[in-house]
Amino acid sequence: MPVARSGILWRRIFLLLLIAVVGAYFYNARKEFPHGGSTLGLTYGTIGYALILLLAFFGIRKRWYRSRFGTLEQWLQSHIYLGLLALVILLFHTGGRFNDKIAVATLILVAIVVASGIVGAVLYVTIPRLLTEVESELTVDEISDQLNQLAKQMARIASGRSAPFQRIYNQLIEESIPGWLGGWRLLISRLARKKSKKQTDLSSLLALVPRDEEVELRQLLVVSRQRKELLIRLLFQQRYKNILEAWLYIHVPFTIALLVFAIVHIAAALFYRRVLV
Amino acid sequence: MSFLVQRVAAGGLQLAEVPGDVLSIGRGTRAVLRSENPAVSLDHANIAADEGGYTITDLGSITGTYVNGRPVESTRLGKGDVIEIGDLHLDVQSADPTKPLFLRVTRTRAQSSDFEEASVAEVAMPGVASLKAPKIDYAGEYRLQRPYLTKVAVTAALVIFCIIVIGEITKPKKQTLFAPGAVSSAHSRDTKGDPMDCQTCHEPFLGATSSRCERCHGPMQHATNQETPPSCTECHAEHRGQGRLASISNNLCVDCHGNIAAHMRRASSTPNVVSFGVNHPELTYEPDHDTLRFNHKLHLQKGGVFNAQGMREELNCTFCHSMFDVRGKIDPAAIKFNNDCKHCHRLTFDPRFPDAEVPHGGDPRNAYGFILATYAGNRDIAGKSPEELRRILTQFRQASVDERAMLNAEQVIKVKCGLCHEMKRDAKGSWIATPPVIPARWLNAKFSHGPHRTLSCEECHAHAEKSAKTSDVLMPQRNACVGCHAERSSTLLASTRSRTHKCVLCHEYHVHSNNSLPRFSPRSALVRADVGGSSGMLESILFAAAVVLLLVVFVPVGVALYQRMKPARAERNAERRTEPVPPPAAAKIPPMQPKAPPPPDPPTPPHIGSTRVMQPDEPAAHQGTEAMVWFGMLRCTAGPLEGQTFIIEDDGIYIGRDPSLSKIVVDDSRVSKRHVRIVPRDGKVWAIDQNSTNGTFLVSSAGRERITEHQLKRGESIVLADDAATFMYQI
């Protein structure tokens, strides 16, 4: 995967700022007791909070298609590198003192958000490659349409047949109905599982089907098998898509929670300490 | 004979002529008219041309071939016929046997729903029950986002949690959670032993102000001529986990005292000091008042001095300067005649009265009185305390004074007292001793002999043995201190070195006069302040926010649940309606559905063995994804099937040459009829060679290795026979 130019640019900016932040901290630590309320601590805290707001703005900028202020790619690269920098700055903002429990909670939230962001960035590099491997010519929506069409065909085959036949049909259809929170279970379920009990039940049912419906039954089973293959394809594509998206369910809500805690932390700092002269 | 195929493509219509007598339709590579749609079989159907026209024949496809909506095995095509194969939609534009068959191809996906409705209506046959397949948005169902589980909902839930937590910790007693560090021991508890409230010291939005400190500590100031006194917290920084606030670093002092002129508007004589070891001024002492004659050299001479018993006794410093321990501070007590001098210097005045000693101190007339009374025969006053003497003597009637006795008394006082005291005559002509002035404290700094007790006295008070004059001040000079108290002293233990050079070790910052010494009485001074009278307001804000957020979370969840319940209920009702489907064992005649259209064909009556008994229908539980088993797939990377992928089924697949024995057919003579089996076992996928003639090989970096049984790992490739076909295992 070729690295985008803005990626290199932002990596350099990140390294320079990182050196500046670390250097300034250790230079200042000799003169001033390092803590969140020292001059440097307040500076870092303010910069850190501004960065958090800027980074959170990425979520708006991403959906703001008409904006011409920087390309989205530049925004993404800056989001990644400034996000890492924000964690470093806020770590130095603490001055190595972790007593204020609200502040520590805020820092933990920052760490969670940055960590999930790193996971997301790694996923964005690795998963699309895997996705193209499994991606067939059909999109997930097309497969979904096909599944419904095949279900129609199965219904067509099973219509007017004997009761056991229809029960087989029902079971085959029900097997394929997505369960509760199917997308999430897709993430955590081991893909290979033991045969479920349902399938063995089916075999006992098969014996009950009248002999003169055997041709249709075979047709039904073949269509069902085809349908199952399609469904597996869909699940597999969708699984990668879900993996690509799931980390956002941590990243985004925790960002908002972080903002809440940050505001409380700042309010408390203003309330208990004279920050503004 | 040939075929003309017109496709609707993005750029418009495309026309292609296909020569030959047969037009094959399918998903496989052999097909001329191809569709990637899985509903289309590899070899689905073909259209053959003969003299009489064009015939379409289904080649045993799974999904069937439909002409004008009816499934067909084989039928002759006419103009205007519509052929449906999977997603392919073929319009027969012209079927003249003398001309090429003109087919217009469109894909039906876009109109699939219409198509479905139509076809369902058409094929709904009055069987035991006509079936309608549920329409499920699989792509949507397997998406992460659910109506009740959006990022907004998760966010709102999390924010509610945050607000509850924050609401809890902003309660008055719990605000120590905001403390950026432990407070000093003096400030940690109030007089009742409860944790001190933040607002005892912190003024809202102003921080810990000096006025809050002064509530308990009273006004405190530095030197009276200080122009810009710092606030208390500038020196006494709290919440840093130190036990004592008074342990101030030198930097705070040196900030000003390193360059006094820069901090003063008017000229100051105060010298600049950077540290004790560098440019601290010499220690200065007030001059001795020289009111008492004392010769240290004489008292400390080797061989000793005569004592009261006439014996020689050798003295040392602590013989007179006895050390006292007052609340942990060990210091020499003030010299008192009765304690320290009398041992040698008895105040007897006449050998005839060896026990009569003149009382020391007090009114000089006592001495006269005592001596006169002794000569007058009042012997009973000997050995009495001065106070008692004074009482006895004042009771005496003024007796006529014996001239000789008076002269004796004068002589005694002049000689005995004059040994140490400066004697003068007062207005009446009596001898009187000038009261000695001995400073209680020479050093104007915090000092205790206790920590210095390991040193000998001479190490600091070096001149004592040589001093013959009373006016000699025998206090140590800076040099005596610098040896240990310089910033980088090597003579001290590392554990004490960090504080022995501190300014505050000797100097007191605040000016304490005895009158203004603040009486620290926390009991009266502490004001119990709950945080905020504003806490009520805070709570109501938090409550309102929580209510809003609850709406954001629970309304969508409720709506989603309702939507979920509704179809379920509708289904159940529908089931109840169709419930009276009699068990097939009892039903000889299939019951007619009231709404079912008349049968186009006589339905096949279900064949039911008289011995078979059906269990009543039970609603099957949702199986969900559990039924789906994924073992990965094989992608053919070389060979006749190149580019195709095959999903590995749970009961395994065979690869071979014979279509009746193998599912994946490799049409190559080097491949055995049944060559290799790919089968999942305990969740792992194995390749098992089926005793093939030319073998199965595993491609690895080392080369090729013939395998009989091998567990496939992701990305591994197996080669059949001698490069006949290569399959890569993917997940």
Side-chain angles (χ1 to χ4, degrees):
Chain A
M1 194 181 125
V3 179
R5 270 181 65 95
S6 58
I8 297 174
L9 173 72
W10 277 103
R11 199 174 302 163
R12 285 180 187 158
I13 293 174
F14 169 70
L15 282 175
L16 281 178
L17 290 176
L18 187 69
I19 292 167
V21 164
V22 177
Y25 176 80
F26 285 108
Y27 176 73
N28 205 61
R30 292 182 306 169
K31 297 196 295 182
E32 201 177 8
F33 179 77
H35 68 293
S38 68
T39 319
L40 192 80
L42 284 175
T43 314
Y44 277 10
T46 314
I47 294 174
Y49 186 63
L51 273 181
I52 288 172
L53 290 180
L54 181 73
L55 295 168
F57 179 72
F58 177 73
I60 299 169
R61 173 63 182 81
K62 206 167 73 168
R63 293 168 179 81
W64 192 354
Y65 301 106
R66 283 181 302 157
S67 172
R68 289 280 170 273
F69 180 55
T71 65
L72 193 57
E73 199 221 326
Q74 282 168 344
W75 271 91
L76 176 64
Q77 293 295 341
S78 67
H79 186 80
I80 292 171
Y81 287 110
L82 292 182
L84 288 172
L85 189 70
L87 181 62
V88 177
I89 286 183
L90 291 173
L91 272 176
F92 282 118
H93 167 61
T94 65
R97 288 159 49 80
F98 303 97
N99 294 300
D100 179 345
K101 310 220 175 16
I102 295 295
V104 170
T106 316
L107 189 71
I108 289 173
L109 287 174
V110 173
I112 290 174
V113 170
V114 173
S116 66
I118 291 171
V119 169
V122 171
L123 289 179
Y124 265 106
V125 174
T126 54
I127 294 292
R129 208 180 301 166
L130 297 172
L131 187 60
T132 46
E133 267 179 25
V134 295
E135 211 158 40
S136 56
E137 292 81 0
L138 299 170
T139 67
V140 173
D141 290 304
E142 284 167 343
I143 293 179
S144 185
D145 274 353
Q146 277 304 320
L147 286 171
N148 280 323
Q149 289 225 21
L150 288 177
K152 290 267 188 272
Q153 269 176 26
M154 285 168 71
R156 199 158 21 178
I157 294 166
S159 282
R161 307 292 168 203
S162 61
F165 195 109
Q166 297 201 343
R167 278 187 56 191
I168 290 173
Y169 160 80
N170 276 333
Q171 250 174 44
L172 289 175
I173 291 289
E174 267 159 15
E175 253 181 23
S176 68
I177 291 175
W180 175 259
L181 288 180
W184 289 94
R185 290 196 310 195
L186 214 53
L187 290 177
I188 50 171
S189 66
R190 277 172 48 233
L191 282 165
R193 273 171 193 261
K194 284 178 191 164
K195 273 191 174 183
S196 68
K197 238 170 71 187
K198 215 76 196 175
Q199 281 165 318
T200 50
D201 287 356
L202 198 64
S203 59
S204 68
L205 261 179
L206 288 175
L208 297 176
V209 173
R211 233 159 277 133
D212 55 354
E213 288 181 352
E214 259 170 32
V215 180
E216 286 82 9
L217 179 66
R218 198 178 308 133
Q219 237 182 16
L220 180 80
L221 291 179
V222 168
V223 176
S224 160
R225 156 126 270 154
Q226 208 180 13
R227 200 162 168 268
K228 205 163 138 182
E229 279 186 11
L230 268 178
L231 185 58
I232 290 176
R233 259 175 203 281
L234 177 138
L235 291 184
F236 220 67
Q237 290 188 27
Q238 190 62 46
R239 180 164 185 261
Y240 280 135
K241 287 185 176 170
N242 287 358
I243 290 174
L244 270 186
E245 203 193 336
W247 67 277
L248 278 172
Y249 279 79
I250 293 177
H251 196 67
V252 174
F254 274 85
T255 302
I256 306 297
L258 159 65
L259 285 175
V260 173
F261 264 84
I263 287 167
V264 171
H265 169 63
I266 292 166
L270 291 173
F271 186 82
Y272 288 115
R273 190 185 186 288
R274 189 178 54 194
V275 177
L276 310 170
V277 180
Chain B
M1 289 291 185
S2 60
F3 303 88
L4 277 175
V5 180
Q6 187 190 44
R7 276 199 181 80
V8 184
L13 294 175
Q14 272 182 359
L15 200 62
E17 186 167 356
V18 181
D21 284 346
V22 178
L23 178 77
S24 50
I25 305 166
R27 186 158 50 90
T29 43
R30 280 186 294 260
V32 175
L33 190 54
R34 289 187 69 227
S35 165
E36 289 294 332
N37 192 305
V40 179
S41 301
L42 291 173
D43 294 311
H44 197 107
N46 64 27
I47 301 173
D50 53 40
E51 288 78 32
Y54 297 88
T55 312
I56 185 162
T57 311
D58 187 274
L59 297 175
S61 70
I62 297 157
T63 53
T65 304
Y66 295 82
V67 175
N68 299 328
R70 283 171 193 284
V72 294
E73 289 287 317
S74 178
T75 190
R76 197 165 275 278
L77 294 171
K79 188 181 174 188
D81 282 348
V82 176
I83 308 166
E84 284 156 352
I85 294 173
D87 67 332
L88 289 174
H89 188 93
L90 311 175
D91 287 319
V92 181
Q93 305 277 8
S94 149
D96 189 339
T98 58
K99 289 179 187 166
L101 180 74
F102 195 112
L103 290 172
R104 197 163 145 222
V105 184
T106 49
R107 307 248 164 174
T108 55
R109 199 178 58 79
Q111 319 124 16
S112 59
S113 53
D114 307 339
F115 165 72
E116 279 159 25
E117 294 307 318
S119 58
V120 166
E122 211 168 314
V123 293
M125 283 188 284
V128 174
S130 74
L131 295 171
K132 196 170 176 201
K135 193 157 188 264
I136 298 165
D137 175 17
Y138 286 92
E141 286 286 325
Y142 281 112
R143 222 162 266 155
L144 287 181
Q145 184 168 328
R146 316 262 20 103
Y148 44 85
L149 183 69
T150 59
K151 286 186 208 102
V152 175
V154 175
T155 305
L158 201 58
V159 169
I160 288 177
F161 177 73
C162 291
I163 287 179
I164 291 169
V165 170
I166 290 163
E168 192 59 28
I169 57 187
T170 43
K171 283 184 178 165
K173 290 271 180 185
K174 294 189 177 167
Q175 293 180 357
T176 48
L177 287 173
F178 286 110
V183 291
S184 60
S185 50
H187 287 161
S188 60
R189 308 251 154 203
D190 63 13
T191 45
K192 288 176 196 153
D194 292 332
M196 203 100 98
D197 196 278
C198 303
Q199 299 212 343
T200 311
C201 302
H202 289 269
E203 240 174 291
F205 304 109
L206 292 174
T209 55
S210 296
S211 64
R212 288 276 162 121
C213 301
E214 285 168 7
R215 277 191 191 177
C216 301
H217 294 278
M220 295 269 214
Q221 56 175 336
H222 187 37
T224 43
N225 56 352
Q226 193 174 13
E227 285 174 349
T228 48
S231 71
C232 302
T233 51
E234 274 181 56
C235 301
H236 302 284
E238 257 294 5
H239 292 296
R240 299 209 175 156
Q242 74 275 49
R244 288 166 59 84
L245 285 188
S247 182
I248 302 298
S249 99
N250 284 359
N251 294 346
L252 290 165
C253 308
V254 172
D255 263 357
C256 292
H257 284 274
N259 187 3
I260 283 280
H263 293 83
M264 296 284 280
R265 256 171 262 135
R266 55 199 154 76
S268 166
S269 59
T270 316
N272 289 340
V273 181
V274 173
S275 84
F276 184 66
V278 178
N279 56 352
H280 190 278
E282 193 51 70
L283 309 184
T284 51
Y285 305 97
E286 56 180 298
D288 195 281
H289 291 83
D290 207 8
T291 48
L292 197 70
R293 294 188 195 107
F294 189 80
N295 187 339
H296 277 91
K297 189 181 172 185
L298 182 70
H299 282 78
L300 289 170
Q301 68 180 312
K302 295 244 162 61
V305 288
F306 287 104
N307 62 12
Q309 282 76 39
M311 310 286 287
R312 275 190 179 272
E313 203 171 337
E314 211 162 305
L315 306 181
N316 59 16
C317 303
T318 51
F319 192 88
C320 303
H321 299 283
S322 50
M323 306 298 270
F324 275 86
D325 183 341
V326 182
R327 278 183 292 171
K329 291 180 89 176
I330 300 174
D331 281 311
I335 299 286
K336 293 263 184 260
F337 176 84
N338 284 335
N339 298 336
D340 303 313
C341 309
K342 201 176 166 185
H343 180 68
C344 301
H345 298 275
R346 293 188 68 192
L347 296 182
T348 52
F349 55 88
D350 194 325
R352 288 170 294 174
F353 312 115
D355 294 331
E357 287 183 46
V358 176
H360 184 266
D363 192 337
R365 283 173 298 175
N366 286 350
Y368 277 98
F370 183 83
I371 295 167
L372 293 176
T374 306
Y375 286 127
N378 289 313
R379 302 284 306 279
D380 54 335
I381 60 172
K384 296 269 161 48
S385 71
E387 286 74 26
E388 224 170 328
L389 282 178
R390 202 169 296 126
R391 193 170 50 77
I392 295 167
L393 291 174
T394 44
Q395 285 171 352
F396 283 147
R397 204 165 25 84
Q398 276 294 322
S400 61
V401 178
D402 182 346
E403 282 292 321
R404 213 162 56 91
M406 188 67 192
L407 278 174
N408 267 343
E410 292 252 311
Q411 189 58 27
V412 166
I413 288 170
K414 193 180 165 191
V415 173
K416 277 271 172 186
C417 301
L419 186 67
C420 302
H421 292 287
E422 198 179 66
M423 303 304 291
K424 285 179 189 161
R425 282 189 186 277
D426 66 357
K428 291 177 186 166
S430 310
W431 286 107
I432 189 163
T434 315
V437 182
I438 307 174
R441 209 172 167 85
W442 288 93
L443 187 63
N444 190 17
K446 284 191 283 180
F447 181 85
S448 167
H449 283 81
H452 299 88
R453 63 187 177 275
T454 51
L455 305 173
S456 71
C457 306
E458 292 79 21
E459 279 184 62
C460 301
H461 304 280
H463 332 289
E465 286 180 23
K466 294 166 202 149
S467 157
K469 281 195 280 180
T470 314
S471 58
D472 290 341
V473 176
L474 303 182
M475 295 303 288
Q477 292 305 299
R478 189 170 74 102
N479 283 342
C481 309
V482 162
C484 295
H485 289 278
E487 198 150 359
R488 286 189 185 80
S489 163
S490 58
T491 58
L492 285 173
L493 291 175
S495 59
T496 53
R497 202 182 299 154
S498 61
R499 55 189 165 81
T500 46
H501 67 271
K502 283 199 168 175
C503 304
V504 291
L505 191 70
C506 302
H507 295 285
E508 188 108 33
Y509 176 84
H510 298 289
V511 178
H512 292 292
S513 74
N514 277 339
N515 302 338
S516 69
L517 187 71
R519 292 272 164 258
F520 181 66
S521 54
R523 205 173 294 271
S524 60
L526 269 191
V527 180
R528 303 270 326 142
D530 275 350
V531 161
S534 61
S535 69
M537 196 174 74
L538 190 69
E539 270 164 21
S540 52
I541 291 172
L542 289 173
F543 179 74
V547 167
V548 171
L549 284 163
L550 281 173
L551 288 176
V552 175
V553 176
F554 285 113
V555 168
V557 170
V559 169
L561 279 178
Y562 175 72
Q563 281 173 346
R564 208 181 157 77
M565 300 287 282
K566 208 166 67 173
R569 205 181 302 141
E571 253 170 44
R572 220 174 297 129
N573 291 342
E575 265 170 32
R576 214 169 291 140
R577 254 184 279 123
T578 55
E579 201 95 51
V581 175
K588 283 290 167 196
I589 306 156
M592 295 293 282
Q593 292 291 310
K595 284 178 189 168
D601 297 311
T604 321
H607 171 88
I608 293 136
S610 55
T611 52
R612 290 187 189 172
V613 179
M614 293 294 297
Q615 287 94 21
D617 273 17
E618 48 197 84
H622 277 191
Q623 195 65 23
T625 48
E626 276 85 346
M628 299 298 151
V629 187
W630 174 263
F631 294 106
M633 56 190 185
L634 289 177
R635 179 186 285 270
C636 184
T637 52
L641 302 175
E642 187 174 340
Q644 292 192 33
T645 51
F646 304 93
I647 287 173
I648 299 167
E649 293 157 25
D650 40 12
D651 45 1
I653 45 174
Y654 289 98
I655 308 176
R657 182 163 44 87
D658 190 339
S660 62
L661 293 174
S662 307
K663 184 168 179 199
I664 303 176
V665 181
V666 182
D667 197 7
D668 189 308
S669 57
R670 289 169 292 178
V671 175
S672 300
K673 285 184 179 173
R674 204 178 232 186
H675 196 103
V676 64
R677 185 177 184 211
I678 309 292
V679 62
R681 226 188 260 164
D682 303 326
K684 305 279 176 9
V685 173
W686 294 75
I688 302 165
D689 189 69
Q690 305 292 309
N691 290 325
S692 61
T693 320
N694 291 324
T696 308
F697 300 89
L698 176 75
V699 182
S700 63
S701 55
R704 288 187 185 183
E705 176 196 349
R706 183 163 182 163
I707 52 166
T708 50
E709 206 173 292
H710 175 75
Q711 189 208 315
L712 286 175
K713 290 173 200 75
R714 177 167 160 183
E716 281 182 346
S717 291
I718 53 169
V719 175
L720 269 53
D722 188 17
D723 276 333
T726 308
F727 290 91
M728 186 161 78
Y729 175 62
Q730 295 181 332
I731 289 185

